[in-house]
Amino acid sequence: MASFSKMIPQQALVIRDGEKKELPADQLVVGDVVEIKGGDKIPADIRLIFAQGCKVDNSSLTGESEPQSRSCDFTHENPLETRNIAFYSTTCVEGTATGIVINTGDRTIIGRIASLTSGVGNEKTPIAIEIEHFVYLVAGVAVSIGVLFFIISVSMRYKILDSIIFLIGIIVANVPEGLLATVTVSLSLTAKRMAKKNCLVKNLEAVETLGSTSIICSDKTGTLTQNRMTVAHLWFDNQIYSADTSEDQTTQPFDQSSPSWTALSKIVTLCNRAEFRPGQENLPIMKRVVVGDASETALLKFAEVILGDVMNIRAQKKKVAEIPFNSTNKFQLSIHETDDPNDKRFLLVMKGAPERILERCSTIMINGKEEPLDSEKAEAFQTAYMELGGMGERVLGFCHLYLPENEFPDTYLFDTDSMNFPTSNLCFVGLLSMIDPPRSTVPDAVSKCRSAGIKVIMVTGDHPITAKAIAKSVGIISATSETVEDIAKRLNIPVEQVNRREATAAVVNGMELKDMSSQQLDEILCNHSEIVFARTSPQQKLIIVEGCQRQGAVVAVTGDGVNDSPALKKADIGIAMGIAGSDAAKNAADMVLLDDNFASIVTGVEEGRLIFDNLKKTIAYTLTKNIAELCPFLIYIITSIPLPIGTITILFIDLGTDIIPSVALAYEKAESDIMNRRPRNKRKDRLVNEQLAVYSYLQIGIMQSVGAFVTYFTVYAEQGFLPSTLLGVRVNWENNAINDFEDSYGQEWTKYQRTYLQWTGYTAFFVSITIQQVADLIIRKTRRNSIFQQGLFRNKVVWVGIFSQIGIALILTYGLGHVTALNFTPLRFQYWFVAVPFAILIWVYDEVRKLFIRRYPGSWWDKNMYY
Amino acid sequence: MSKETKKPFRQSMTEWRQFIYNPNSGEFLGRTAKSWGLILLFYLVFYGFLAALFTFTMWVMLQTLSNDIPKYRDRISSPGLMISPKPDTALEFYFNKSDAQSYAEYVATLRKFLESYDDSKQSQNINCTPGRIFDQNDVAVKKACRFNLSELGQCSGKEDKTFGYSKGTPCVLVKVNRIIGLKPEGEPRIHCTPKEAGMVEINYFPPEGLIDLMYFPYYGKSLHAHYLQPLVAVQLAINSNSTKEEIAIECKILGSPNLKNEDDRDKFLGRIAFKVQMIE
């Protein structure tokens, strides 16, 4: 809320009791008459009763970038559109006005947005839900096994106290102690990785949310486009040429040999008031800062790229008169001397709205020759104009006239007020059209989203035609798909008769959206795969987001304005623009794109999916050894053998050897199919699903237990206790008073000697689990691909994990083997290798599993074995 | 974002019922009968394989072991001491010398313990040379040395059927744990000391509590079937003024440098402590 508070204007000029007073804005009441002038912030929502040349900058509220003029006239039903209301927190750019306060504080439009933003609750992220689900699952398994064995042990006549200790032991063995650390570490790692790619993640869990995103509602300006007008097409000599619109153009490839182009380039260069800021000669042209409006900047840079030093050319052809662009004339005109010393004629150049320019022309230049402008040529112009306009581009017409030397000698004084020079019967030269072109990375990013099953919806305040053109050029509307209107046009039937189901694409106007019920909106969102919302008021963004969420989608929203903040907050993941974004938007968002680049979102999606996958792998890894920790306990209770592994030892696995490897899985690279599968269905595709639990618990876990038990029995057998002797010995074994316990060979053991042997057993069991966890770690690197496809050594951290695992085990066994309290003993070296065949078996078995999954997709094996 | 709406109880019950048995799809616990059959078959094969593998590896491991001596004996390098009779409650003897019932269990235990030392059971045992280690490494059939019960003197149970319990001079047999291949050095003997002097007088059978070296080494249950470990009987003559008092006694193995009796952690390694309380 701090960013909202900062917007509060300090003072307001109020007329009360017939006197003008300066009051703090928060003391205004409804009905106060306030005066504002250029530069003031509007102190409340006011209705204007007097305005003189007043313009307000509503960009923070509505996203409209150009200042809006304000008058006392009621022009629209919608308060946001009518001219006679100025809004709290916007700025008066020029002029003066007087108005009556109609709303203050929270009741103002911006206040409502603010309270909407704070009102939209922070809901649980998908990953939080998944982890909660996982916790329930593990708790369920732990408690039910615990209770089951409590009942078994009670019925086997163990003491109640012992049974309770067993119960606690079983639950402890089941708790994945290291998981919390792993989740946090993987999230932070990814956040760090994303920060490198210019995505700032504010809310760690949001990273994963992005991965499960199924709909992206993207803003157009600045996110999909470069936010910079660029010349896209030219029309001269009856032909349309395309220009390069990429971010770093250095040349223009179209045919520049025609004399008409020479003429056109002169007009483009001369009839232009924009200038480069000085001192930028070393910068690439596209990066230079220009003083001037967007179109003129585009023309200036265009000319600079093709012709070189424009400022020099202008200096050579001295300007003698100029009429700047205004909205009544809709043209701009200037008169120049020529740089040819033999040619004393003046050159009049003009540019403006194409139809206005054409009206003033009587001839048209074709291949450098002036030809009369007959109806055929006028029609060619119309066709070209329509075509360029249809591509959503802003079109400008250019014409010129060499003033006859006899009428206009070089001493002639031009007067722009009386216009003592011809402004009609000019020679039409050509058209230039400009657009804010898409970023070059966007089409690729959009197609990546497509193949990843993510629907990209464009939501823009722009004109439908421009929006559609950009949507088509970036692939949001694919080349083959049609809207209802397109089909109607093609079949030449009224729009109403078109079967709406046939159209895959839809362009929805904000005005239509306003009259739609939520069912109608749902219908559009369901039936069309490619949707563009144009002319949307920012408030409608929220409606669209809610509509998408009603479909069960996980929605990502990009936005920059204050007005977007409710939608950003409402979205499952709000993404604010780092450069163009307002503070309020950044506050409401979960993620900030520092370079405003849509392609970063795709990276984010990939990272998010990767996190989910890697968490799955980590959990699978962690769960596996729980069985190897639990089984000894169960066997101990049932068959009364000496306890194979102690609680302290279990903790050393969970919090010692296993921590670094499970974190290492967070560094695992994505599997090849990560961006080719559909987003996960948050209701069905759980983090920990049945297959994962079953495969880890009942297959790999059991294999590990078998391997560890072989080691355990080997240790006891080689010390004199054959497996047959061990069964049922628990009570005597643990009896402190029995100090002549006989082994299979007739030797007698004291209690302490037995206990020490039992610790050796713990150590052996521990070492076996560790060795097999190495295999478990390796197999968990992939879920579908072979380890050899993934690269055994690509993830170096996994190897750090493996070495740390073995290192910690070595330290515990040999370094701390003499510390009685830890229950470790120095182990004979060969016992480290007893479980190795089982580790290899685990690896081979998992490779076979993955092979069948890849070979037979959709088969019984795939359904039951793929987690 | 999923709106967490609480499902009404009845609905969730229905869902559970659907999960347990879904009549429409014939699913029981989320799987059809065929699916259950397949999965059970899979696990049958899988666990069958694992069980076979386990059995096989265990068999291979057991093949590497000798029947006669364990592969490693490093965990029991030095023997522990144990007494007989061994009271159930933490090595504490309580009895009334005039009440036969109070020590009947001790007497019965001793009698049972000494059964295997009966002359009739020792017919195959040979008389060995006292004072020397009886090394039989080269002999295939290991002989056991005779241990004459008479060596236990008054504690042999021959003269006094109550092992002295009725006279206030109870006998406790101290034995050294069997350890394969153990060869004590020096002249090992058992020596017991009461915690407080003057309460009890201690007699040893054989005299001085000597353990004869001829009973070592032990060759293991299978090779050395008739082996009898040497015993030392400790007769406690409790002073008449010390009756009703608890007498703590510690017995140690002395005189042999390779038999430990001072281990910090193992209170039974070469020593044993017990308590005796007698009332009249």
Side-chain angles (χ1 to χ4, degrees):
Chain A
M1 287 309 294
S3 54
F4 282 111
S5 320
K6 266 192 241 157
M7 294 177 186
I8 293 170
Q10 296 301 310
Q11 298 289 321
L13 193 60
V14 193
I15 302 174
R16 279 189 187 168
D17 309 325
E19 285 176 46
K20 282 189 191 177
K21 286 182 193 165
E22 282 267 310
L23 275 183
D26 54 8
Q27 290 183 15
L28 287 181
V29 294
V30 173
D32 267 337
V33 175
V34 294
E35 283 189 1
I36 49 172
K37 59 182 186 304
D40 286 353
K41 277 202 167 178
I42 314 286
D45 282 0
I46 54 175
R47 179 178 174 158
L48 302 182
I49 50 175
F50 163 80
Q52 192 172 39
C54 176
K55 279 191 174 179
V56 288
D57 174 10
N58 273 355
S59 61
S60 72
L61 187 61
T62 62
E64 291 158 307
S65 51
E66 286 175 17
Q68 310 285 305
S69 67
R70 283 290 175 260
S71 66
C72 321
D73 306 323
F74 165 79
T75 54
H76 204 283
E77 298 263 345
N78 183 346
L80 279 167
E81 305 254 336
T82 185
R83 289 213 169 169
N84 59 342
I85 292 180
F87 300 103
Y88 176 47
S89 88
T90 61
T91 323
C92 177
V93 187
E94 54 182 78
T96 57
T98 309
I100 300 169
V101 174
I102 52 172
N103 278 318
T104 56
D106 282 350
R107 285 172 301 277
T108 59
I109 297 285
I110 194 90
R112 271 184 240 169
I113 291 179
S115 52
L116 199 52
T117 307
S118 48
V120 176
N122 258 336
E123 307 198 25
K124 264 190 198 147
T125 57
I127 192 71
I129 295 172
E130 287 308 321
I131 288 178
E132 199 169 274
H133 172 249
F134 168 65
V135 168
Y136 283 142
L137 194 113
V138 167
V141 168
V143 171
S144 44
I145 297 181
V147 169
L148 181 70
F149 276 85
F150 179 76
I151 294 167
I152 290 177
S153 50
V154 168
S155 54
M156 284 180 72
R157 308 208 173 177
Y158 283 91
K159 283 180 205 146
I160 295 291
L161 188 67
D162 281 347
S163 306
I164 290 173
I165 292 171
F166 296 161
L167 176 73
I168 293 168
I170 288 170
I171 292 175
V172 167
N174 257 303
V175 174
E177 287 91 347
L179 188 76
L180 190 69
T182 319
V183 172
T184 316
V185 169
S186 1
L187 289 172
S188 331
L189 271 179
T190 313
K192 216 174 127 190
R193 234 173 7 222
M194 305 249 305
K196 267 190 203 152
K197 292 173 181 167
N198 286 321
C199 290
L200 184 73
V201 179
K202 283 175 50 197
N203 174 0
L204 277 185
E205 289 174 355
V207 180
E208 194 284 321
T209 314
L210 196 53
S212 39
T213 297
S214 51
I215 295 182
I216 299 176
C217 289
S218 176
D219 202 16
K220 180 180 79 73
T221 314
T223 315
L224 296 172
T225 66
Q226 301 170 18
N227 197 14
R228 170 180 74 193
M229 274 297 179
T230 307
V231 175
H233 290 96
L234 304 92
W235 180 80
F236 55 86
D237 296 346
N238 264 337
Q239 202 177 339
I240 293 178
Y241 298 89
S242 325
D244 177 15
T245 54
S246 64
E247 281 94 334
D248 47 354
Q249 40 185 286
T250 45
T251 52
Q252 285 289 355
F254 66 90
D255 178 21
Q256 293 159 11
S257 57
S258 164
S260 309
W261 160 246
T262 321
L264 183 59
S265 66
K266 256 183 214 162
I267 312 172
V268 170
T269 320
L270 298 176
C271 189
N272 192 334
R273 289 156 56 90
E275 285 175 21
F276 287 112
R277 284 238 177 96
Q280 308 186 82
E281 286 73 19
N282 299 327
L283 285 176
I285 296 166
M286 285 297 147
K287 295 240 166 75
R288 292 186 202 165
V289 180
V290 175
V291 187
D293 76 18
S295 327
E296 298 223 306
T297 305
L299 294 172
L300 173 64
K301 287 186 173 172
F302 181 69
E304 182 88 7
V305 166
I306 299 176
L307 304 173
D309 199 349
V310 168
M311 306 316 283
N312 191 28
I313 298 172
R314 281 194 204 161
Q316 283 168 7
K317 303 179 181 181
K318 222 181 110 210
K319 194 190 286 178
V320 291
E322 178 176 51
I323 302 175
F325 184 87
N326 69 46
S327 47
T328 14
N329 291 341
K330 298 216 176 207
F331 68 77
Q332 177 181 351
L333 175 152
S334 58
I335 299 168
H336 299 261
E337 295 169 357
T338 58
D339 50 353
D340 183 355
N342 303 325
D343 191 352
K344 293 288 179 208
R345 293 180 299 175
F346 286 103
L347 175 63
L348 182 150
V349 288
M350 186 192 263
K351 76 163 188 237
E355 65 277 10
R356 294 292 182 91
I357 296 293
L358 195 74
E359 279 169 15
R360 295 172 185 276
C361 293
S362 56
T363 57
I364 182 163
M365 183 176 280
I366 306 286
N367 295 327
K369 292 192 200 78
E370 284 187 31
E371 291 180 16
L373 187 65
D374 52 24
S375 61
E376 189 191 326
K377 296 208 173 64
E379 200 164 300
F381 159 86
Q382 277 303 335
T383 320
Y385 181 29
M386 291 304 290
E387 191 176 340
L388 295 177
M391 288 191 274
E393 297 178 1
R394 187 188 291 176
V395 191
L396 288 177
F398 294 82
C399 63
H400 72 186
L401 182 69
Y402 283 97
L403 299 178
E405 199 182 347
N406 48 3
E407 276 181 60
F408 302 95
D410 53 358
T411 53
Y412 189 84
L413 279 178
F414 292 94
D415 181 358
T416 51
D417 288 333
S418 61
M419 296 224 212
N420 54 355
F421 46 84
T423 55
S424 57
N425 291 330
L426 312 176
C427 170
F428 191 86
V429 180
L431 294 172
L432 244 72
S433 66
M434 282 160 292
I435 198 162
D436 178 11
R439 287 165 182 268
S440 50
T441 50
V442 170
D444 184 44
V446 171
S447 83
K448 272 189 190 157
C449 286
R450 273 282 158 72
S451 57
I454 302 169
K455 196 161 161 179
V456 183
I457 294 179
M458 183 196 276
V459 183
T460 175
D462 229 328
H463 204 267
I465 296 172
T466 321
K468 193 177 161 192
I470 292 291
K472 281 208 152 173
S473 67
V474 298
I476 288 181
I477 295 183
S478 49
T480 51
S481 54
E482 290 177 310
T483 62
V484 173
E485 290 77 15
D486 290 333
I487 294 175
K489 208 171 147 193
R490 176 164 56 84
L491 301 175
N492 221 348
I493 50 171
V495 172
E496 291 75 31
Q497 291 178 15
V498 178
N499 179 2
R500 292 191 164 267
R501 296 283 157 107
E502 274 176 33
T504 48
V507 178
V508 183
N509 199 311
M511 299 303 287
E512 300 170 41
L513 187 60
K514 207 170 66 185
D515 301 330
M516 268 180 204
S517 65
S518 49
Q519 282 90 342
Q520 282 171 308
L521 179 62
D522 288 354
E523 207 170 293
I524 287 182
L525 291 170
C526 270
N527 294 338
H528 302 283
S529 57
E530 303 171 341
I531 309 171
V532 170
F533 289 98
R535 275 251 166 272
T536 40
S537 80
Q539 281 68 22
Q540 288 174 327
K541 234 182 187 178
L542 191 62
I543 298 170
I544 296 168
V545 172
E546 282 169 340
C548 294
Q549 285 175 339
R550 271 199 302 276
Q551 318 293 312
V554 176
V555 185
V557 169
T558 66
D560 47 14
V562 172
N563 47 42
D564 295 332
S565 42
L568 288 174
K569 198 104 190 199
K570 178 74 200 166
D572 298 289
I573 173 158
I575 304 166
M577 297 299 128
I579 302 168
S582 62
D583 283 355
K586 287 182 199 168
N587 270 353
D590 305 295
M591 220 173 87
V592 181
L593 295 184
L594 297 176
D595 56 358
D596 291 14
N597 187 350
F598 184 78
S600 314
I601 299 178
V602 181
T603 321
V605 169
E606 191 172 341
E607 291 288 348
R609 289 185 175 190
L610 186 58
I611 268 205
F612 193 79
D613 282 8
N614 284 352
L615 267 185
K616 241 183 184 180
K617 293 171 184 173
T618 303
I619 288 174
Y621 172 78
T622 318
L623 286 188
T624 308
K625 56 123 200 316
N626 280 357
I627 284 298
E629 291 167 355
L630 187 66
C631 270
F633 218 73
L634 306 185
I635 306 265
Y636 163 74
I637 293 174
I638 295 173
T639 65
S640 289
I641 55 174
L643 185 62
I645 189 166
T647 321
I648 298 176
T649 326
I650 287 177
L651 286 178
F652 270 108
I653 297 176
D654 288 357
L655 299 175
T657 57
D658 252 20
I659 291 287
I660 300 177
S662 51
V663 171
L665 282 173
Y667 286 90
E668 193 55 44
K669 301 278 183 303
E671 281 178 71
S672 52
D673 66 335
I674 192 161
M675 287 304 273
N676 295 325
R677 41 175 210 244
R678 301 194 53 74
R680 75 186 179 90
N681 180 331
K682 66 179 178 190
R683 298 210 181 93
K684 285 189 199 141
D685 306 333
R686 312 310 306 251
L687 179 66
V688 179
N689 51 19
E690 186 197 317
Q691 288 91 331
L692 185 146
V694 165
Y695 183 68
S696 302
Y697 277 145
L698 296 186
Q699 298 185 27
I700 302 297
I702 297 288
M703 285 164 102
Q704 278 194 351
S705 312
V706 170
F709 264 109
V710 168
T711 320
Y712 162 85
F713 281 122
T714 308
V715 167
Y716 277 82
E718 295 192 338
Q719 291 288 353
F721 290 93
L722 297 181
S724 49
T725 319
L726 287 178
L727 297 180
V729 298
R730 189 189 73 97
V731 176
N732 285 344
W733 181 277
E734 288 174 1
N735 188 338
N736 281 322
I738 297 182
N739 281 289
D740 52 352
F741 190 94
E742 196 177 316
D743 67 14
S744 315
Y745 293 90
Q747 307 187 91
E748 290 168 320
W749 296 63
T750 65
K751 174 71 189 359
Y752 184 79
Q753 285 167 337
R754 293 196 304 273
T755 308
Y756 196 78
L757 178 60
Q758 189 175 330
W759 291 344
T760 312
Y762 290 180
T763 314
F765 213 94
F766 161 82
V767 162
S768 299
I769 292 181
T770 308
I771 294 292
Q772 292 178 93
Q773 278 293 80
V774 171
D776 192 26
L777 181 61
I778 291 174
I779 66 167
R780 301 302 184 180
K781 277 162 69 76
T782 60
R783 295 187 295 145
R784 176 186 291 276
N785 287 357
S786 162
I787 294 301
F788 302 101
Q789 281 171 297
Q790 182 79 353
L792 189 51
F793 301 100
R794 236 174 79 196
N795 182 353
K796 302 279 185 299
V797 188
V798 159
W799 286 94
V800 172
I802 290 174
F803 286 121
S804 77
Q805 201 165 21
I806 294 172
I808 292 173
L810 282 170
I811 292 171
L812 285 173
T813 335
Y814 298 111
L816 302 175
H818 299 285
V819 183
T820 332
L822 300 183
N823 298 357
F824 282 97
T825 65
L827 196 66
R828 270 175 215 285
F829 201 62
Q830 71 261 33
Y831 293 140
W832 286 72
F833 300 97
V834 177
V836 168
F838 290 88
I840 294 170
L841 179 73
I842 287 174
W843 189 350
V844 171
Y845 176 66
D846 194 62
E847 279 295 319
V848 171
R849 176 189 74 94
K850 289 168 188 165
L851 181 72
F852 283 166
I853 287 172
R854 292 196 303 275
R855 276 284 162 79
Y856 308 108
S859 64
W860 178 88
W861 186 273
D862 187 16
K863 276 184 210 137
N864 284 285
M865 295 294 184
Y866 181 64
Y867 56 88
Chain B
M1 191 74 37
S2 70
K3 292 250 160 58
E4 293 282 331
T5 43
K6 284 277 172 217
K7 286 176 194 158
F9 177 71
R10 189 174 297 168
Q11 193 191 334
S12 65
M13 274 310 285
T14 327
E15 278 178 13
W16 268 103
R17 210 172 296 144
Q18 283 274 319
F19 174 69
I20 290 168
Y21 182 70
N22 183 347
N24 301 327
S25 54
E27 281 175 355
F28 173 70
L29 293 176
R31 284 178 183 276
T32 59
K34 191 184 161 211
S35 167
W36 271 114
L38 269 172
I39 203 89
L40 289 179
L41 182 71
F42 171 81
Y43 278 103
L44 196 69
V45 172
F46 184 79
Y47 288 145
F49 168 74
L50 280 186
L53 186 74
F54 177 74
T55 317
F56 175 72
T57 30
M58 289 298 283
W59 179 79
V60 168
M61 185 270 290
L62 291 176
Q63 292 311 299
T64 66
L65 299 180
S66 146
N67 276 329
D68 306 330
I69 49 165
K71 194 163 181 178
Y72 301 115
R73 300 192 303 275
D74 57 330
R75 289 286 176 264
I76 36 171
S77 52
S78 190
L81 288 192
M82 203 51 203
I83 52 167
S84 183
K86 190 183 77 64
D88 290 338
T89 49
L91 302 181
E92 286 170 10
F93 294 84
Y94 293 99
F95 68 96
N96 185 340
K97 78 171 181 184
S98 38
D99 177 7
Q101 201 59 40
S102 67
Y103 52 82
E105 205 191 321
Y106 303 141
V107 171
T109 314
L110 279 172
R111 205 155 283 291
K112 191 154 187 294
F113 182 77
L114 289 177
E115 257 173 31
S116 55
Y117 287 84
D118 199 79
D119 286 343
S120 59
K121 298 266 172 70
Q122 296 204 47
S123 54
Q124 289 177 347
N125 293 4
I126 56 164
N127 291 318
C128 309
T129 328
R132 272 179 52 197
I133 295 277
F134 182 42
D135 208 321
Q136 307 179 74
N137 283 343
D138 309 327
V139 193
V141 184
K142 320 284 183 194
K143 300 273 186 198
C145 292
R146 175 161 299 160
F147 185 88
N148 272 329
L149 268 189
S150 56
E151 299 218 22
L152 297 182
Q154 295 171 25
C155 290
S156 64
K158 283 183 175 161
E159 296 135 38
D160 184 351
K161 302 285 181 200
T162 62
F163 296 93
Y165 282 82
S166 57
K167 295 177 185 155
T169 55
C171 283
V172 172
L173 296 177
V174 177
K175 66 179 176 109
V176 180
N177 276 356
R178 289 192 295 267
I179 288 175
I180 293 174
L182 177 74
K183 294 175 187 170
E185 293 159 10
E187 283 196 328
R189 60 191 174 89
I190 300 291
H191 182 77
C192 300
T193 41
K195 213 171 183 184
E196 285 166 63
M199 296 168 94
V200 68
E201 250 173 63
I202 301 175
N203 285 321
Y204 301 96
F205 305 97
E208 315 254 313
L210 276 176
I211 301 169
D212 204 301
L213 291 180
M214 67 183 177
Y215 297 104
F216 298 96
Y218 173 52
Y219 284 98
K221 201 155 80 177
S222 70
L223 291 179
H224 220 162
H226 299 284
Y227 177 79
L228 288 173
Q229 63 207 104
L231 302 174
V232 171
V234 179
Q235 188 170 39
L236 311 166
I238 297 166
N239 285 348
S240 53
N241 53 3
S242 296
T243 51
K244 292 186 184 169
E245 279 183 55
E246 205 177 62
I247 307 163
I249 293 165
E250 193 187 43
C251 295
K252 278 188 176 179
I253 193 159
L254 296 176
S256 176
N258 67 340
L259 302 183
K260 290 183 204 150
N261 58 12
E262 290 289 344
D263 195 88
D264 286 342
R265 295 195 185 121
D266 195 343
K267 301 293 179 210
F268 292 89
L269 198 65
R271 56 180 162 161
I272 186 163
F274 57 92
K275 286 174 183 168
V276 181
Q277 189 178 16
M278 186 185 71
I279 45 179
E280 285 183 66

